[in-house]
Amino acid sequence: MAYFYSLTIKISCMKIKLTIPFLLLIGLTISANVIAQKLNSKEQKILKQVELNNNAAIQFLEQTVNVNSGTMNLDGVREVGRLFDEKFKSIGFETSWIEMPTEMKRAGHLFAEHKGSKGKRLLLIGHLDTVYEKDSPFQKFEREGDKATGPGVEDMKGGDVIIYYALKSLYEAGVLKDTQIIVALHGDEEESGKPISVSRKDIIDAGKRSDIALGYEASSGFNEATLARRGSSGWELKVTGKRAHSAGIFSEEDGAGAIFEVSRILNEWYNALSNEKYLTFNPGIISGGTFAEYDKNKASATAFGKTNVIPQTVVVAGGLRFISEEQKTMARKTMAEIAANNLPQTSAEFTYWDSYPAMAPTKGNEEVMEVLSQVSQDMGHPAVVAYDPMKRGAADISFVAAYTDGLDGLGSMGGGGHTPQEWVDLSTFEDLTKRTALLIYRLTR
Ligand SMILES: [Zn+2]
């Protein structure tokens, strides 16, 4: 029962006849009207402001990308912070530069706060630093049509600029009044200052007085958002055997040696835990023999041993990624139990430490995603679904996941992060800014 409507389009000297289903044409007209109806007049005003600001936003992106801010270029990170500081002040935010202790060798962070009590209290998260240091050959913003390349253009000056221009458009539309919003732009996301308890103290404090955290790391598409990120942690396994002539191996007196024992442990870990969903652990380096040493700071190891001597020492170092604190604890417990069940004349010492916590896929995060999904659909984009946490690394939003609901992956769209081909799709920039402006607007009503 299709009705067809014929269109003849003239392109230069060619005549092309297109046959389009008539119902589809009606459908397009109706859906355009529905989009307009789904946004109230305030929301339409906000979108208009974003449109008016879009050229300035892309110019500001170019300006910030052209200032080198490799994590170790402290002056460069501070300069990018200063550029954003001016901007946030101009729209009614109180700003502060948070210094890190000198021995940490990090630039510090920019925090900006808008005080109020309307709707949800928000925490917007970005970072000022990039992985490209001063000596990198990749230094300049370059634009070709809708594609712009440059250091940090996607990870994540693009996201920072989206945060600012969304807020600026809300300010200009007169709807920012009395909202409670903290913007946290770290100066050391790519290589966080240690100890983490110091370098992430301020964001944790901000998280404790916020309801919802929104992360502006790169977006994977209008139809996806990150509502879970795995945490990361480290571990070390040190196995000791009895140093003796190899002829005695397997005997009660000389035992199995450290290398057989470490093989048993690693193999049993693999069998016990490798099918656990979202859990991964990787023995990254191993060294064993009569003597073995591992230098964590240099990420290198040395060993000495002979084929006719039962090995006395093995050191293994690795990482472990997990989706929740419960999973991390379970995995460590299992690993410790296996490591304690030693072969004859051997012993093992299993130690571990925390790095990034996990952002677990909670009900609260899903609810924020539903608000985003509604905004997206009201703008004519598809519904938003959860991005696979296996595909994302750890990020700063994880530090506040215990205190807030949250979503990440709301930043700019592009690719090639951490490579000299990093790029951003400028044709999506305006819509991503609009989406964030509407999301903030609806969450703060
Ligand atoms: Zn990043």
Side-chain angles (χ1 to χ4, degrees):
M1 51 151 268
Y3 294 84
F4 288 93
Y5 190 85
S6 287
L7 269 181
T8 305
I9 298 174
K10 216 177 164 184
I11 302 172
S12 66
C13 60
M14 277 193 311
K15 255 190 177 178
I16 301 169
K17 196 174 176 195
L18 291 177
T19 305
I20 295 171
F22 185 52
L23 287 180
L24 181 65
L25 276 186
I26 297 175
L28 286 174
T29 322
I30 292 171
S31 69
N33 286 337
V34 169
I35 290 167
Q37 279 167 16
K38 281 179 175 169
L39 303 174
N40 68 34
S41 61
K42 284 251 169 67
E43 292 180 326
Q44 290 180 33
K45 194 174 168 192
I46 295 165
L47 297 195
K48 192 81 214 143
Q49 277 316 125
V50 175
E51 285 166 21
L52 290 171
N53 289 331
N54 194 50
N55 281 338
I58 290 168
Q59 272 168 29
F60 186 56
L61 176 63
E62 175 169 2
Q63 186 187 1
T64 54
V65 167
N66 281 336
V67 178
N68 176 283
S69 62
T71 314
M72 301 307 161
N73 177 9
L74 309 193
D75 288 341
V77 174
R78 287 191 190 106
E79 175 58 15
V80 177
R82 195 189 59 75
L83 293 172
F84 276 100
D85 179 274
E86 272 177 8
K87 294 278 186 202
F88 282 110
K89 272 195 187 118
S90 74
I91 57 167
F93 279 66
E94 278 173 31
T95 63
S96 56
W97 185 259
I98 294 165
E99 293 284 350
M100 291 295 110
T102 321
E103 62 276 13
M104 193 188 276
K105 299 193 178 75
R106 293 296 184 278
H109 317 309
L110 176 68
F111 274 64
E113 181 163 357
H114 191 275
K115 292 202 167 118
S117 57
K118 202 168 173 181
K120 299 284 186 195
R121 302 169 300 166
L122 305 185
L123 171 61
L124 312 181
I125 302 169
H127 61 82
L128 304 165
D129 64 320
T130 74
V131 293
Y132 312 94
E133 295 296 337
K134 258 179 160 170
D135 58 0
S136 160
F138 191 46
Q139 296 289 348
K140 285 278 164 253
F141 181 97
E142 271 168 43
R143 180 173 182 170
E144 234 188 276
D146 281 332
K147 187 176 177 180
T149 54
V153 74
E154 186 215 23
D155 183 9
M156 64 176 286
K157 288 171 181 172
D160 300 335
V161 172
I162 286 175
I163 294 176
Y164 170 68
Y165 277 92
L167 292 170
K168 178 179 163 67
S169 302
L170 293 166
Y171 172 79
E172 289 165 347
V175 293
L176 201 57
K177 239 174 116 188
D178 204 27
T179 57
Q180 170 60 39
I181 301 171
I182 301 173
V183 180
L185 302 180
H186 280 147
D188 63 347
E189 199 273 346
E190 299 296 357
E191 228 184 308
S192 44
K194 308 285 179 315
I196 284 216
S197 56
V198 174
S199 66
R200 293 300 176 266
K201 177 189 180 295
D202 300 278
I203 196 167
I204 290 170
D205 289 347
K208 284 178 181 168
R209 50 193 193 89
S210 302
D211 302 310
I212 295 172
L214 303 173
Y216 284 81
E217 291 284 0
S219 165
S220 53
F222 278 104
N223 60 334
E224 286 176 325
T226 302
L227 53 76
R229 300 191 89 117
R230 295 194 298 159
S232 71
S233 64
W235 54 263
E236 207 175 295
L237 176 66
K238 197 169 177 188
V239 176
T240 309
K242 187 176 168 187
R243 184 178 174 182
H245 194 286
S246 64
I249 196 164
F250 310 143
S251 70
E252 197 127 312
E253 200 195 327
D254 294 335
I259 290 180
F260 271 127
E261 171 60 354
V262 86
S263 309
R264 176 197 70 80
I265 295 172
L266 293 176
N267 187 49
E268 284 185 30
W269 282 359
Y270 184 90
N271 289 338
L273 294 169
S274 61
N275 285 323
E276 190 69 30
K277 196 177 180 193
Y278 296 135
L279 181 83
T280 54
F281 53 98
N282 173 50
I285 184 165
I286 184 165
S287 174
T290 305
F291 305 110
E293 260 172 47
Y294 164 59
D295 185 334
K296 194 175 164 183
N297 296 322
K298 289 189 184 142
S300 75
T302 51
F304 167 83
K306 288 189 163 181
T307 53
N308 61 356
V309 179
I310 297 174
Q312 180 178 241
T313 314
V314 179
V315 202
V316 192
L320 180 139
R321 289 172 185 257
F322 50 92
I323 197 71
S324 65
E325 292 303 297
E326 294 74 45
Q327 189 181 56
K328 180 184 80 181
T329 309
M330 177 281 296
R332 283 175 175 173
K333 189 167 166 273
T334 305
M335 290 165 90
E337 279 166 11
I338 290 170
N341 191 20
N342 305 117
L343 290 176
Q345 303 294 346
T346 67
S347 62
E349 196 190 324
F350 173 58
T351 52
Y352 45 78
W353 54 91
D354 289 329
S355 177
Y356 274 71
M359 173 184 177
T362 62
K363 187 88 197 66
N365 298 359
E366 252 171 60
E367 283 165 14
V368 183
M369 189 174 78
E370 275 158 31
V371 179
L372 178 72
S373 189
Q374 194 57 55
V375 167
S376 270
Q377 291 174 78
D378 291 352
M379 286 175 61
H381 293 298
V384 178
V385 296
Y387 190 70
D388 183 356
M390 291 297 278
K391 294 182 188 161
R392 292 223 90 136
D396 278 334
I397 193 168
S398 304
F399 288 105
V400 296
Y403 315 106
T404 61
D405 296 331
L407 273 191
D408 203 350
L410 301 173
S412 55
M413 238 180 257
H418 295 206
T419 77
Q421 283 83 42
E422 185 175 336
W423 62 280
V424 77
D425 178 1
L426 295 175
S427 72
T428 58
F429 209 80
E430 185 180 290
D431 261 19
L432 287 165
T433 311
K434 284 178 172 177
R435 188 172 76 153
T436 270
L438 290 187
L439 177 64
I440 293 172
Y441 174 74
R442 290 190 184 178
L443 292 174
T444 52
R445 284 318 98 182

